[in-house]
Amino acid sequence: MSEAAGESFWAATATGHAPTERLEGHLDTDIAVIGGGVTGLCAALHLAEAGREVVVIDAEAPGWGASGRAGGEVLPGLKIDPETMVSRFGEMEGERLAEWAGGITDLVFSLVERHGIDCHARRTGWVQAAYTKGEMKTLEARCRQWQARGAPVKLLDREETARCLGTPPELYLGAWLDGRGGAIHPLDYTLGLAAAAARHGARLFRKAPARTLTHEGSAWRITTDNGGSIKVRHVVVATNAYTGDLVPGLSRSIVPMRASQAVSAPLDAAQREAILPAGHVASDRRRVLISFRLSHDGRLILGGPGGTGQAKGEALFAKASETAVELFGAAGEGVRWAYGWSGQIALTRDFLPHLHEPETGLHVALGYNGRGLALASALGKEVADRIAGGSPEALAFPVSRLKPIPLHAASEPALAVGQRVMGLLDQMERRLGI
């Protein structure tokens, strides 16, 4: 249960390859991307396709961080619904943002198809289930708002939800089904983006942690370990939860949270008939949510703080077993666990991803709140469009001012306490029927 990507199911089954090299000496180029995850690689790919000179540096290797350790769910939208987007950003900008957010999964699956990325992509739809009456009202409003904008979504009643998920009818009150959602092998997707970027001329450097970032006239200079340095016009910082002190105040604008995943051995025939029989990806609406889906080879994947408890080692498998029984009853009792790992995700104060430009030529994208695969892909493209000449006003996602979180040093302990409180609130509301 270390930070090593080799502990994960994705690393054990990945077939992709990122053509990386070691950075030695000095390099002059147009654009440097710091961070070899989905955000940085999507930015690099789109820039390379546009004929720009771009390099990507990573402290480890492409896909080492959250991009290669995610649960693999490809989900549309933001944490806020379209009407909230309109009230927060205004009619025109809000509707443009809603259209963009609704199409982020389209971008992922189009990239997979266009670049021939072998990542077990499938678009079976996302089921989000309601644990309480209040959550069901939220889903009803969400469904109405997206239906008004032409999205392929519908509500499911209690019995339909149980049939879709394989859960007991008494567990969830209902759900919504969003046909835009799906799943991928996250590490193979990330490595596929890296390979596609390299085919279009991008250079990828492994084991090249950025140590300093300084102005040199109108350009930027990045220094790395082993005396490496890069001089560029534009810098993209795409380090998400692994952000350090390279950009002043940036690490204090997010709260890193450890997330765990557990993957079972392949389910037997009876379990496959009972658990997620139509292959949907799923999560629930609890404050301390559970996410669950099946892998390409018929394994149960559990995540979310409610699903794994952010545990490690044998404690992770014990929590996963408990969750499997809660979700699937007798079918969950015989699930055997084969892989467990963890990594960092980045939470933001407003639960939205952030796009910043602290200085001319410096671009930052981060803060996916546990829903990074589609959002990171789309925000990486937004950064590329901006560097390629787009104005901030032309972007679908707004550029915001970098604002460190007040009392940031207390945020991680507060988060741990808050999760325990939110779990109690979930249980209390369920018992009270509200």
Side-chain angles (χ1 to χ4, degrees):
M1 293 302 299
S2 72
E3 291 281 336
E7 306 271 347
S8 79
F9 170 66
W10 307 124
T13 57
T15 59
H17 172 69
T20 61
E21 52 189 305
R22 297 298 290 262
L23 179 62
E24 297 176 354
H26 175 72
L27 184 65
D28 278 294
T29 190
D30 189 16
I31 304 153
V33 176
I34 302 172
V38 168
T39 306
L41 292 169
C42 260
L45 172 56
H46 286 92
L47 287 163
E49 285 185 305
R52 303 294 289 269
E53 290 186 352
V54 57
V55 302
V56 180
I57 62 173
D58 195 275
E60 295 292 337
W64 180 88
S67 297
R69 301 185 219 180
E73 297 190 355
V74 182
L75 305 182
L78 299 169
K79 293 281 189 176
I80 60 175
D81 292 327
E83 289 179 2
T84 304
M85 297 180 206
V86 170
S87 65
R88 186 173 297 185
F89 298 103
E91 182 78 25
M92 185 171 70
E93 288 78 7
E95 290 294 352
R96 183 171 62 172
L97 180 59
E99 182 179 5
W100 176 85
I104 59 177
T105 51
D106 292 337
L107 173 63
V108 172
F109 292 109
S110 69
L111 286 169
V112 168
E113 183 176 2
R114 182 156 58 92
H115 295 286
I117 301 174
D118 183 7
C119 60
H120 303 285
R122 66 180 192 272
R123 205 166 190 181
T124 49
W126 167 40
V127 177
Q128 189 180 34
Y131 187 68
T132 66
K133 290 181 180 179
E135 292 165 5
M136 194 65 213
K137 289 179 181 177
T138 297
L139 293 183
E140 289 167 355
R142 176 168 297 161
C143 190
R144 170 185 57 78
Q145 292 174 44
W146 281 113
Q147 282 178 336
R149 290 159 176 85
V153 300
K154 65 177 182 179
L155 286 173
L156 305 177
D157 63 23
R158 185 190 291 267
E159 289 72 25
E160 290 171 319
T161 300
R163 285 196 297 272
C164 275
L165 301 181
T167 51
E170 62 272 15
L171 181 60
Y172 293 120
L173 279 65
W176 84 322
L177 171 58
D178 189 331
R180 298 170 296 183
I184 55 175
H185 187 300
L187 182 53
D188 269 335
Y189 173 65
T190 307
L191 295 174
L193 293 174
R199 285 196 301 272
H200 284 86
R203 297 180 67 185
L204 313 176
F205 295 96
R206 68 187 182 278
K207 295 290 185 181
R211 296 305 185 194
T212 64
L213 175 62
T214 54
H215 270 300
E216 229 175 65
S218 61
W220 292 90
R221 182 175 295 279
I222 304 165
T223 63
T224 68
D225 284 354
N226 301 320
S229 73
I230 310 171
K231 186 176 180 180
V232 294
R233 290 177 56 212
H234 293 275
V235 178
V236 178
V237 177
T239 47
N240 205 39
Y242 294 87
T243 294
D245 298 324
L246 206 61
V247 177
L250 184 59
S251 64
R252 291 183 287 115
S253 72
I254 54 108
V255 178
M257 184 183 84
R258 182 161 298 282
S260 302
Q261 302 282 338
V263 175
S264 75
L267 302 179
D268 62 32
Q271 290 169 326
R272 278 294 292 114
E273 288 183 10
I275 295 173
L276 293 162
H280 296 102
V281 303
S283 57
D284 62 24
R285 273 281 309 165
R286 280 181 257 198
R287 294 177 180 88
V288 185
L289 66 86
I290 301 170
S291 66
F292 48 105
R293 75 172 186 93
L294 299 178
S295 69
H296 57 279
D297 58 351
R299 301 167 186 264
L300 177 62
I301 304 172
L302 278 180
T308 59
Q310 298 169 276
K312 299 180 180 181
E314 291 304 316
L316 171 57
F317 292 150
K319 177 60 180 175
S321 293
E322 176 189 315
T323 302
V325 172
E326 178 191 1
L327 290 174
F328 307 113
E333 290 179 0
V335 172
R336 295 177 295 108
W337 301 99
Y339 295 91
W341 68 96
S342 67
Q344 299 276 44
I345 63 174
L347 306 180
T348 59
R349 193 180 185 190
D350 57 6
F351 297 105
L352 295 176
H354 292 167
L355 189 59
H356 305 303
E357 292 184 10
E359 298 185 55
T360 301
L362 179 58
H363 312 267
V364 177
L366 81 175
Y368 304 113
N369 298 281
R371 290 184 42 182
L373 288 174
L375 277 172
S377 300
L379 219 60
K381 183 179 183 301
E382 289 285 286
V383 171
D385 290 345
R386 170 70 172 130
I387 293 173
S391 68
E393 295 75 26
L395 299 178
F397 194 87
V399 175
S400 60
R401 185 167 61 87
L402 173 56
K403 293 186 287 188
I405 296 171
L407 303 175
H408 184 268
S411 14
E412 288 187 58
L415 179 64
V417 173
Q419 284 194 327
R420 289 194 290 272
V421 171
M422 288 189 289
L424 292 172
L425 286 173
D426 286 331
Q427 296 170 23
M428 181 183 70
E429 289 178 0
R430 173 76 172 208
R431 287 196 298 269
L432 294 175
I434 58 176

